[in-house]
């Protein structure tokens, strides 16, 4: 077992990782070895943070080398411990075996944990070959993966491309709006100095879920336009202190704003 993983497990004790996908229906498998492998990996997934679970995943893979679920779940603790090299080897194997099931997950992890925006875009483009009508949602449910792709383009300074993707997805009648969709679009417009469109989307965001960062950007627009912005700035700080802000259990959101930035406005 890698030293980094051991250190992480010792620190977090019985912490259960939350990135696992739903367990596999083993009864649907015809091959007896793969069915047994599936049962073992389902068992190991429940407590994947310890060395015994890792040995179970190894046993499952040995029984059925095409058990992509075992590879993916075995990889999760390495992702959380920061051992991205080991994680990448394991998740790449899962993707190789079953790209339809694993490309979106790898893309999200590349985006969320590694800030590998180009890699995430490549994965999502490949996923489109398997899911042409709907890529599905991010692992934590915050975003549709089309929105993730748009954010990735925004992150690599292709704002116009990002806005096109945002607008296309948000106009899709089947799209379920996420917590931060209009905010992310608004920031992309803001960075292109299109303050009218930026404010329009910040206002749309406020109607769905208002939070400190969104209010802060409305204050920035007001300041740029030489309008009174202090009330909005103070409201952003108050909202921040109340805990209504961009949150993630493991990492920091793209376009996250911190209290010091709000105070300095």
């Amino acid at each position: 077992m890698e030293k980094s993983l051991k250190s992480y497990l010792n620190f977090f004790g019985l912490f259960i990782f939350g990135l696992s996908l739903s367990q596999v229906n083993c009864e649907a498998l015809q091959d007896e070895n793969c069915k047994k492998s599936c049962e073992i990996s389902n068992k190991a997934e429940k407590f994947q943070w310890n060395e015994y679970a890792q040995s179970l995943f190894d046993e499952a893979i040995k029984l059925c080398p095409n058990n992509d679920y075992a590879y993916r779940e075995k990889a999760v603790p390495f992702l959380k411990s920061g051992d991205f090299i080991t994680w990448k080897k394991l998740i790449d194997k899962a993707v190789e075996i079953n790209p339809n099931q694993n490309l979106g997950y790898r893309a999200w992890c590349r985006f969320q944990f590694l800030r590998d925006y180009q890699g995430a875009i490549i994965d999502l483009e490949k996923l489109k070959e398997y899911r042409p009508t709907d890529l599905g949602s991010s692992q934590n449910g915050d975003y549709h993966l089309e929105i993730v792709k748009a954010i990735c383009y925004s992150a690599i300074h292709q704002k116009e491309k990002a806005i096109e993707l945002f607008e296309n997805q948000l106009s899709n009648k089947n799209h379920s709006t996420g917590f931060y969709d209009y905010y992310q679009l608004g920031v992309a417009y803001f960075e292109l100095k299109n303050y009218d469109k930026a404010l329009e989307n910040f206002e749309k965001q406020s109607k769905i879920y208002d939070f400190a960062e969104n209010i802060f950007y409305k204050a920035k627009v007001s300041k740029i336009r030489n309008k009174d912005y202090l009330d909005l700035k103070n409201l952003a700080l108050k909202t921040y202190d109340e805990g209504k802000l961009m949150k993630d259990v493991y990492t920091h959101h793209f376009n996250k704003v911190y209290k010091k930035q709000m105070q300095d406005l």
Side-chain angles (χ1 to χ4, degrees):
M1 187 65 61
E2 294 290 329
K3 182 178 179 181
S4 60
L5 178 59
K6 281 185 175 179
S7 300
Y8 186 80
L9 299 179
N10 288 338
F11 179 75
F12 279 93
L14 297 181
F15 178 77
I16 299 176
F17 298 105
L19 272 186
S20 57
L21 304 181
S22 58
Q23 295 194 334
V24 179
N25 176 15
C26 302
E27 294 304 315
L29 301 174
Q30 301 298 319
D31 184 273
E32 287 302 318
N33 280 344
C34 287
K35 185 181 291 187
K36 180 64 176 175
S37 170
C38 174
E39 291 168 354
I40 293 170
S41 54
N42 275 348
K43 176 183 176 182
E45 184 274 332
K46 295 176 182 176
F47 48 98
Q48 61 194 199
W49 34 264
N50 67 24
E51 293 185 41
Y52 173 58
Q54 289 288 309
S55 69
L56 287 179
F57 285 130
D58 290 338
E59 182 183 342
I61 291 167
K62 187 175 180 180
L63 270 171
C64 183
N66 286 330
N67 185 345
D68 61 296
Y69 179 77
Y71 276 108
R72 185 178 66 230
E73 296 306 311
K74 178 177 171 63
V76 171
F78 295 100
L79 176 70
K80 297 299 185 61
S81 68
D83 185 354
F84 299 126
I85 293 174
T86 303
W87 170 78
K88 184 72 164 46
K89 289 176 182 176
L90 292 166
I91 198 62
D92 284 356
K93 187 65 179 176
V95 170
E96 177 188 331
I97 295 167
N98 189 347
N100 182 29
Q101 186 66 28
N102 296 296
L103 272 168
Y105 172 69
R106 187 174 71 179
W108 171 250
C109 291
R110 280 176 148 177
F111 165 78
Q112 184 187 22
F113 288 88
L114 279 70
R115 301 297 190 247
D116 176 13
Y117 303 116
Q118 294 277 15
I121 290 169
I122 290 169
D123 277 353
L124 292 172
E125 290 296 341
K126 288 180 181 176
L127 183 60
K128 198 82 171 176
E129 298 172 14
Y130 299 92
R131 302 180 184 181
T133 59
D134 188 1
L135 297 182
S137 297
S138 65
Q139 187 61 28
N140 65 359
D142 280 349
Y143 298 109
H144 190 279
L145 289 176
E146 290 284 3
I147 297 293
V148 172
K149 185 166 38 168
I151 296 172
C152 287
Y153 275 106
S154 185
I156 60 174
H157 308 295
Q158 293 189 34
K159 304 294 180 183
E160 291 86 356
K161 175 69 172 177
I163 287 169
E164 179 186 351
L165 292 170
F166 276 124
E167 296 282 15
N168 285 344
Q169 184 60 29
L170 289 169
S171 64
N172 186 328
K173 63 180 182 180
N174 296 318
H175 178 70
S176 296
T177 307
F179 279 124
Y180 313 111
D181 289 3
Y182 286 107
Y183 169 75
Q184 296 290 4
L185 175 55
V187 174
Y189 273 121
F190 181 91
E191 290 174 343
L192 288 178
K193 302 186 188 312
N194 188 337
Y195 302 121
D196 287 340
K197 292 294 290 184
L199 188 58
E200 176 187 320
N201 282 284
F202 296 141
E203 294 295 352
K204 286 181 180 179
Q205 178 64 58
S206 292
K207 292 176 183 176
I208 296 167
Y209 171 60
D210 211 10
F211 51 94
E213 288 87 348
N214 192 59
I215 299 167
F216 168 76
Y217 264 94
K218 287 196 281 188
K220 289 187 76 169
V221 172
S222 291
K223 185 174 189 293
I224 288 167
R225 290 175 163 175
N226 294 316
K227 294 182 178 180
D228 181 21
Y229 66 92
L230 291 177
D231 285 349
L232 283 169
K233 170 185 171 177
N234 291 332
L235 179 59
L237 286 166
K238 179 176 180 290
T239 306
Y240 193 100
D241 288 340
E242 289 171 350
K244 287 184 67 177
L245 57 150
M246 300 183 86
K247 296 178 183 177
D248 186 88
V249 176
Y250 305 112
T251 60
H252 297 277
H253 272 280
F254 183 73
N255 284 327
K256 168 74 180 161
V257 180
Y258 300 93
K259 189 172 182 179
K260 182 67 165 60
Q261 294 169 270
M262 295 180 186
Q263 291 170 332
D264 290 346
L265 180 64

